[in-house]
Amino acid sequence: NLVLYPNPTNDILNIVIPFNINKKDTFITVYSFLGRPVTTVSLDENSSHIKLQLHDLASGPYIAKITFSNGEVFTSKFIKK
């Protein structure tokens, strides 16, 4: 299972992706709660722990969308303090 923490968060959102998931051509997009993309990060295929820097984002609710190369999509809501 994918894990996002802490929630709510201040400046860094940790995302843990299991090693057995292929991360090639995988990316994370963070959306404002209004649906506007605010940042996109491509993953290194050897990464299993990603630290998203959120210090530039305003406080409020956001959605993290992780899109895998096989078409699977994982979404999770989080709060930026």
Side-chain angles (χ1 to χ4, degrees):
N1 289 342
L2 296 165
V3 178
L4 281 77
Y5 69 93
N7 190 8
T9 186
N10 287 320
D11 290 330
I12 296 175
L13 181 67
N14 294 283
I15 301 172
V16 180
I17 300 173
F19 282 106
N20 63 340
I21 294 178
N22 182 2
K23 292 169 281 297
K24 183 178 183 197
D25 299 324
T26 294
F27 56 94
I28 301 169
T29 304
V30 174
Y31 294 88
S32 71
F33 219 64
L34 299 174
R36 192 182 117 240
V38 293
T39 189
T40 299
V41 177
S42 296
L43 300 188
D44 179 325
E45 62 186 281
N46 297 316
S47 296
S48 63
H49 186 178
I50 297 93
K51 292 184 178 214
L52 272 184
Q53 301 290 328
L54 304 175
H55 56 274
D56 290 340
L57 299 183
S59 297
Y62 291 88
I63 298 170
K65 178 179 176 184
I66 304 170
T67 306
F68 296 95
S69 59
N70 66 0
E72 281 189 80
V73 174
F74 172 84
T75 59
S76 182
K77 296 176 188 175
F78 69 92
I79 304 291
K80 165 77 164 60
K81 289 186 192 179

